[in-house]
């Protein structure tokens, strides 16, 4: 009897998994029969959020979901290595809660510090691979969720208007999350020559709730930061991220870039 060759199922680490976008990333990966390792402060909160989107999904996909209950910055270097080990992709949907404590309290550099530590853990895991396995070793995909308010550090965006530049200057020094997002993007931009990972920064326009649908992608924002009518559902942001995890051609089109995503009208 001929041996049955089972398809290789990839594993993705998702941080910020209980967030408004992260929960969609987790669910959509599970729906594609992918193994997911999520880092979340509360496993039950994550399971509840999945069930809110798709009833009974937490039990339906329980065999494919692993959850580490922790704040991501509380993990030790070894714990971070274990979390990223064996993952073909890492998706970061981390962000600051829109409360006074979330905006002005600690950790102020949540996204930046987590990005650095995740990249260091990926490097450490790849560095331990040797021999024949090393020649077959593929780079890890790192997907960082940013915001359209963060400019492309490579300079590909159109010049902001004077009004936009003034507002962004004020946001940078009055709202720590804006500066945190910018610093995270600046850091990942330095990893272009990394031998162990490839990255992209997804920059959604105004986020809204809603189901996934068709989306469109641009290399730079297509309208003003303020007053535009374009939106993007969080489910569509997740869909794009999952599509990149699963589709190498799409990944090759957007790696080392800063795609801006909009719902297709």
């Amino acid at each position: 009897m001929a041996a049955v060759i089972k398809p290789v199922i990839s594993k993705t680490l998702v941080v910020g998994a209980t967030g408004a976008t992260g929960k969609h990333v987790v669910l959509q990966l599970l729906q594609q029969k992918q193994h997911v390792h999520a880092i979340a402060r509360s496993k039950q909160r994550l399971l509840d959020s999945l069930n809110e989107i798709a009833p009974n999904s937490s039990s339906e996909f329980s065999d494919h979901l692993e959850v580490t209950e922790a704040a991501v910055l509380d993990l030790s270097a070894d714990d971070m290595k274990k979390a990223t080990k064996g993952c073909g992709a890492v998706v970061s949907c981390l962000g600051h809660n829109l409360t006074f404590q979330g905006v002005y309290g600690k950790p102020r550099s949540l996204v930046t510090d987590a990005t650095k530590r995740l990249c260091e853990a990926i490097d450490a895991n790849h560095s331990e691979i040797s021999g024949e396995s090393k020649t077959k070793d593929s780079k890890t995909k790192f997907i960082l969720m940013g915001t359209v308010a963060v400019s492309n550090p490579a300079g590909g965006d159109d010049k902001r208007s004077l009004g936009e530049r003034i507002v962004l200057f004020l946001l940078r020094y009055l709202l720590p999350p804006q500066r945190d997002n910018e610093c995270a993007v600046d850091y990942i931009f330095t990893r272009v020559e990394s031998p162990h990972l490839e990255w992209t920064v997804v920059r959604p326009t105004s986020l809204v709730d809603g189901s996934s649908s068709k989306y469109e992608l641009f290399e730079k924002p297509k309208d003003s930061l303020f007053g535009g009518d374009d939106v993007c559902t969080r489910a569509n942001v997740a869909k794009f991220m999952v599509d990149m995890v699963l589709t190498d051609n799409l990944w090759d089109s957007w790696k080392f870039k800063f795609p801006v995503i909009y719902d297709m009208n």
Side-chain angles (χ1 to χ4, degrees):
M1 183 176 178
V4 177
I5 300 176
K6 296 182 179 180
V8 176
I9 304 298
S10 67
K11 181 180 178 182
T12 300
L13 175 68
V14 181
V15 296
T18 56
T21 302
K23 62 185 180 183
H24 286 282
V25 175
V26 172
L27 179 60
Q28 292 183 32
L29 283 167
L30 292 172
Q31 289 172 333
Q32 294 295 325
K33 309 303 181 185
Q34 302 298 296
H35 288 289
V36 177
H37 184 176
I39 298 176
R41 290 176 181 268
S42 168
K43 179 177 180 179
Q44 190 58 52
R45 182 184 170 194
L46 173 58
L47 298 180
D48 290 344
S49 68
L50 297 179
N51 290 331
E52 288 174 4
I53 305 171
N56 302 316
S57 58
S58 65
S59 56
E60 179 182 355
F61 301 115
S62 59
D63 290 344
H64 287 76
L65 177 62
E66 175 187 357
V67 181
T68 295
E69 281 191 300
V72 65
L73 294 185
D74 288 345
L75 295 177
S76 67
D78 285 341
D79 289 336
M80 198 75 84
K81 277 181 60 180
K82 291 177 183 177
T84 56
K85 189 172 184 177
C87 292
V90 174
V91 179
S92 174
C93 295
L94 287 168
H96 297 257
N97 293 326
L98 296 181
T99 62
F100 185 87
Q101 178 61 30
V103 171
Y104 293 104
K106 295 181 179 181
R108 289 195 170 190
S109 54
L110 167 66
V111 181
T112 303
D113 290 347
T115 299
K116 289 179 179 179
R117 295 192 60 199
L118 286 165
C119 289
E120 289 167 358
I122 292 169
D123 285 339
N125 281 324
H126 282 273
S127 296
E128 292 178 355
I129 299 173
S130 60
E132 183 180 349
S133 296
K134 194 173 186 68
T135 63
K136 298 179 180 179
D137 186 33
S138 59
K139 294 184 179 182
T140 300
K141 298 177 179 179
F142 190 98
I143 302 174
L144 175 65
M145 181 174 173
T147 165
V148 76
V150 176
S151 298
N152 179 348
D157 293 349
D158 293 334
K159 186 176 181 179
R160 305 283 194 188
S161 68
L162 177 60
E164 289 175 323
R165 296 201 304 273
I166 291 173
V167 170
L168 289 174
F169 175 84
L170 293 174
L171 290 177
R172 187 174 300 118
Y173 290 99
L174 295 178
L175 294 178
Q178 173 66 21
R179 183 170 181 81
D180 185 22
N181 285 326
E182 291 179 343
C183 289
V185 170
D186 287 344
Y187 171 77
I188 202 70
F189 182 59
T190 68
R191 302 300 303 259
V192 174
E193 302 298 330
S194 172
H196 303 134
L197 63 86
E198 298 173 334
W199 54 262
T200 188
V201 179
V202 178
R203 297 187 292 167
T205 186
S206 300
L207 288 166
V208 296
D209 291 325
S211 57
S212 62
S213 58
K214 293 183 178 180
Y215 58 79
E216 53 186 347
L217 304 168
F218 296 86
E219 292 196 356
K220 59 185 178 182
K222 64 179 184 177
D223 50 23
S224 169
L225 273 178
F226 313 108
D229 295 328
D230 292 298
V231 298
C232 186
T233 64
R234 294 175 174 88
N236 268 349
V237 177
K239 183 179 179 181
F240 175 43
M241 291 176 166
V242 172
D243 286 346
M244 285 195 292
V245 169
L246 301 179
T247 311
D248 286 341
N249 287 342
L250 182 64
W251 176 255
D252 288 340
S253 296
W254 291 106
K255 66 183 180 183
F256 304 129
K257 295 182 180 179
F258 304 83
V260 182
I261 179 171
Y262 299 85
D263 285 353
M264 184 175 290
N265 295 323

